[in-house]
Amino acid sequence: MKIKVVESVMKANDAVAAANRQRLEAAGLLAVNILSAPGSGKTTLLEKVILRLSPKLRSAVLVGDLQTTRDADRLGHLGIQVVQINTGAGCHLTATQVAQGLECLDLAGVDVLFIENVGNMVCPAAVDLGEHVRVAMLSLPEGDDKVAKYPTLFQPADIILLNKIDLAEVLDFDPARVRQDLARINTRAPLLEVSTRTGQGLEAFCQWVSERRASVTNG
Ligand SMILES: Nc1nc2c(ncn2[C@@H]2O[C@H](COP(=O)(O)OP(=O)(O)OP(=O)(O)O)[C@@H](O)[C@H]2O)c(=O)[nH]1
Ligand SMILES: [Mg+2]
């Protein structure tokens, strides 16, 4: 009997990711994978952006955390479908976990699927979930050296959000340094200065999401 060998864990993940992408496209959805360090503002961004996108674009969320349903509880108040995926000790979501999450969602009537990845600047970047676009977020308290130190997070991003820009006056953070570092690794992705607290930049981000969703449905 011929023994079948899965060549690598990543190859297996990529096959599931491709199936996820196909399934989402067939349902007319844009899938947005959001990656950043813990606490940089992913859930708060979703709380604000999903309301702004509604009712024109209807959202659902898959949210990854090691433990608890705290983020799903916050997002559930928006009256949308939310699935919390607990990874246990896992530092990132996998395509299989996303496939399982999709089983729990009614995709009819959903235009945008946001995937909030586990807060981590390294591991999630290496794993395709079947998303169409990637959002990399950096918040000011993390420091203006992080693009250079964690390039794998920012290099494949389709848009980069510089969050908590409302704290610029109290933090010694130089946005020009971030732009210089990005110019070396990713000139394709726009950089948006945002604040989920004041609302700065959120309209521009919503516009970007709307345009990307239109490009998926228009082929
Ligand atoms: N000042 C300020 N605080 C913010 C902003 N966005 C988020 N926060 C705060 O940052 C903290 C963390 O926000 P979350 O949205 O929970 O962060 P997260 O990235 O989802 O965190 P994890 O899910 O644990 O990775 C909260 O206290 C937010 O109120 C912002 O634009 N400005
Ligand atoms: Mg969160």
Side-chain angles (χ1 to χ4, degrees):
M1 191 174 103
K2 197 169 177 207
I3 306 290
K4 287 184 186 161
V5 180
V6 176
E7 277 181 28
S8 75
V9 174
M10 291 315 287
K11 222 169 175 178
N13 180 84
D14 289 351
V16 180
N20 287 345
R21 198 157 18 245
Q22 241 173 21
R23 182 173 175 191
L24 291 162
E25 264 162 37
L29 265 81
L30 171 76
V32 182
N33 188 6
I34 306 179
L35 301 86
S36 76
S40 62
K42 295 178 290 300
T43 308
T44 318
L45 176 82
L46 290 177
E47 288 175 308
K48 301 291 168 73
V49 161
I50 286 169
L51 279 180
R52 280 175 185 254
L53 290 173
S54 172
K56 212 170 158 202
L57 291 179
R58 296 151 300 176
S59 304
V61 182
L62 299 180
V63 53
D65 280 298
L66 271 67
Q67 301 203 7
T68 82
T69 59
R70 289 187 184 188
D71 281 2
D73 293 341
R74 284 167 63 187
L75 294 162
H77 290 133
L78 301 176
I80 58 164
Q81 297 183 76
V82 184
V83 177
Q84 178 84 52
I85 300 168
N86 283 149
T87 59
C91 57
H92 60 83
L93 288 173
T94 65
T96 299
Q97 287 165 339
V98 167
Q100 288 165 348
L102 290 178
E103 290 301 321
C104 304
L105 293 174
D106 176 9
L107 297 182
V110 178
D111 303 303
V112 183
L113 175 71
F114 289 103
I115 304 170
E116 178 182 334
N117 220 312
V118 177
N120 186 301
M121 292 187 91
V122 182
C123 311
V127 185
D128 184 9
L129 301 180
E131 71 270 20
H132 299 103
V133 288
R134 275 192 185 195
V135 177
M137 180 186 269
L138 173 67
S139 73
L140 267 62
E142 294 158 44
D144 56 20
D145 57 352
K146 293 301 175 292
V147 170
K149 291 172 79 170
Y150 297 87
T152 54
L153 178 70
F154 299 97
Q155 197 272 329
D158 297 294
I159 190 167
I160 293 148
L161 302 182
L162 196 49
N163 190 32
K164 309 194 187 182
I165 200 72
D166 56 289
L167 300 177
E169 280 182 19
V170 291
L171 293 172
D172 196 11
F173 186 103
D174 182 5
R177 198 174 178 203
V178 169
R179 289 181 193 281
Q180 276 165 18
D181 289 338
L182 279 175
R184 279 191 280 275
I185 61 161
N186 186 345
T187 51
R188 183 178 55 87
L191 173 72
L192 281 185
E193 295 184 358
V194 302
S195 167
T196 66
R197 178 154 295 180
T198 66
Q200 181 180 334
L202 296 187
E203 204 47 54
F205 179 60
C206 288
Q207 182 65 32
W208 182 86
V209 171
S210 302
E211 285 166 11
R212 297 311 295 254
R213 200 262 168 179
S215 68
V216 165
T217 50
N218 296 336

